[in-house]
Amino acid sequence: MLQVKSVLPMPLFHSAEASTSYAKTRHHPDVQEDVDMEEAENAQYNYGELDPEESGRLERHITTPGEVVTSAKEFMRGHGTLLDESGENVVATVAGTVERVNKLVSVKSIKSRYNPEKGDLVVGRITEVQASRWKVDANARQEAMLQLSSVNLPGGVQRRKVESDALKMREFLAEGDLLVAEVQSTEGMIQLHTRSLKYGKLRNGQLVTVPASLIRRLKSHFYTLPPPCGPQGVDVILGVNGYIWVCLGSGDKTAEHNANSDGFENELVYSDKNDDITPASRQAIARVCALIQIFARYSIPLTEALLMAGHEWCRRNNLEERGVVLSRQLEKQLLADVVGIEDTDE
């Protein structure tokens, strides 16, 4: 007969050595805020003699390389951290924000290469044509791959790709061509696809590169700035990888053409020739590119509303005829009026 014996619960205890080490270690504010209330009562900040500049930096919850994040006896180190020489403290190796998941502490770099996720919209450049695939520079830690089976054929024909299609790969996309695609998979390598009328080769525009951290993952990354931003407007594609494509507005002509031609023709999708762009449209494209570079210089996240407000500010202040490059004084005024920040740097 099975006998059940009552077992007394083991008493909970904290290691005196670990508690003492935790109390003596200077912790980053983000780690300190996430600890339990009981530990927070016993753990005190020990900043020592810090100058006002360093104290202000810690209040903004930004860590710098070499700064002590927390105790190695209480937390496990993750990306962007390592142990110091004594092996008792976790220190940051990059400048960024501290992230904590249970007992795992990591530092997310403020400025780093793009970390892809499935479903991201990216803008890339073809770097090499290989057997049945293209290598694409997507501003990531490794080059992305675009398989021949992951693109649409001219005419919108849905069939398996054969050897004759592989021989014509450079007629579709050659080295140096820019394209917009979607991340299909990130397992092992970055896999892209362009099986949509929105994706494909890019033309009639200019590429702008910004830090990937300034691009938020939104429902849509295709924006149109309507006239008076140029006679035909300006189209903007915000790639999550930090590559932004600014081009001539498509208007209703492309939509009507796609509707009449089933949305896919070789001349339109894989053409290497740009359309005739008027000087006014060129100036509008250059103006939007200049605004993007100004906002990126001050680490301001980019959105459609911000770009429209910036262009409206330029038009309201009659800057259309003063050239594209803004002076330092006009940049400060733009940031103060549109974003609401004051630039005090001289």
Side-chain angles (χ1 to χ4, degrees):
M1 182 176 181
L2 181 63
Q3 295 181 354
V4 180
K5 297 182 179 180
S6 61
V7 180
L8 295 177
M10 293 295 293
L12 299 177
F13 65 91
H14 296 278
S15 172
E17 181 182 359
S19 300
T20 304
S21 174
Y22 187 92
K24 291 183 178 180
T25 304
R26 188 182 75 183
H27 302 279
H28 193 273
D30 289 342
V31 176
Q32 185 70 18
E33 290 177 358
D34 289 338
V35 298
D36 296 334
M37 294 299 296
E38 181 180 355
E39 296 178 353
E41 292 177 357
N42 298 327
Q44 300 293 330
Y45 281 101
N46 184 18
Y47 289 119
E49 296 181 359
L50 297 180
D51 54 13
E53 182 179 358
E54 185 176 1
S55 299
R57 185 180 70 251
L58 292 175
E59 290 177 359
R60 290 194 297 270
H61 293 192
I62 299 295
T63 185
T64 55
E67 181 180 350
V68 175
V69 178
T70 186
S71 171
K73 296 182 179 180
E74 291 288 333
F75 295 93
M76 296 183 297
R77 64 183 185 89
H79 295 290
T81 63
L82 54 76
L83 298 178
D84 60 1
E85 296 180 355
S86 64
E88 297 181 355
N89 300 321
V90 178
V91 298
T93 59
V94 295
T97 57
V98 176
E99 295 184 349
R100 177 177 179 269
V101 179
N102 295 330
K103 291 294 183 179
L104 179 65
V105 176
S106 59
V107 178
K108 183 178 181 181
S109 177
I110 296 178
K111 186 176 181 181
S112 63
R113 281 194 170 267
Y114 162 64
N115 186 22
E117 294 184 7
K118 185 177 180 180
D120 285 349
L121 182 138
V122 298
V123 175
R125 185 186 296 273
I126 301 295
T127 59
E128 186 178 350
V129 180
Q130 297 181 342
S132 300
R133 66 179 184 179
W134 293 271
K135 294 182 69 174
V136 183
D137 173 23
N139 195 29
R141 294 181 177 88
Q142 60 178 343
E143 289 185 315
M145 294 295 175
L146 176 63
Q147 300 290 341
L148 178 61
S149 59
S150 300
V151 302
N152 283 324
L153 293 175
V157 180
Q158 299 293 333
R159 60 173 175 80
R160 295 185 62 180
K161 277 66 174 179
V162 295
E163 185 178 356
S164 60
D165 297 322
L167 297 176
K168 299 179 181 179
M169 287 180 59
R170 279 192 171 84
E171 297 181 8
F172 305 149
L173 295 168
E175 292 87 346
D177 287 343
L178 291 166
L179 77 157
V180 55
E182 181 179 321
V183 177
Q184 184 177 10
S185 174
T186 58
E187 298 179 0
M189 65 177 62
I190 308 173
Q191 297 283 354
L192 306 178
H193 80 88
T194 60
R195 299 192 198 95
S196 174
L197 301 181
K198 299 183 297 182
Y199 308 143
K201 182 184 291 188
L202 298 173
R203 59 196 187 102
N204 298 331
Q206 179 178 347
L207 179 68
V208 183
T209 303
V210 302
S213 58
L214 299 182
I215 308 298
R216 301 172 179 173
R217 289 179 170 88
L218 304 173
K219 184 177 181 180
S220 176
H221 289 262
F222 293 88
Y223 301 125
T224 298
L225 306 181
C229 184
Q232 296 181 232
V234 174
D235 288 345
V236 180
I237 303 177
L238 296 180
V240 183
N241 58 337
Y243 288 170
I244 301 176
W245 182 251
V246 184
C247 62
L248 180 67
S250 57
D252 297 332
K253 294 182 179 180
T254 302
E256 182 180 356
H257 181 80
N258 289 342
N260 296 333
S261 61
D262 294 334
F264 216 90
E265 282 194 359
N266 190 17
E267 296 181 358
L268 181 64
V269 178
Y270 292 118
S271 175
D272 291 328
K273 296 182 180 179
N274 291 327
D275 298 335
D276 293 333
I277 304 177
T278 62
S281 297
R282 292 176 183 268
Q283 186 177 21
I285 294 174
R287 174 75 66 190
V288 174
C289 293
L291 290 174
I292 292 174
Q293 293 172 345
I294 292 174
F295 294 140
R297 192 179 305 133
Y298 291 88
S299 301
I300 301 174
L302 300 173
T303 60
E304 178 187 15
L306 180 65
L307 296 179
M308 293 187 66
H311 189 275
E312 177 62 23
W313 181 88
C314 294
R315 190 180 66 86
R316 189 169 59 250
N317 289 272
N318 299 323
L319 300 180
E320 300 293 337
E321 300 179 357
R322 297 188 185 181
V324 175
V325 180
L326 300 181
S327 64
R328 180 68 171 174
Q329 183 178 0
L330 289 176
E331 283 188 12
K332 292 182 179 181
Q333 186 178 353
L334 169 66
L335 295 173
D337 295 343
V338 176
V339 187
I341 62 175
E342 298 289 342
D343 182 17
T344 58
D345 296 338
E346 296 295 338

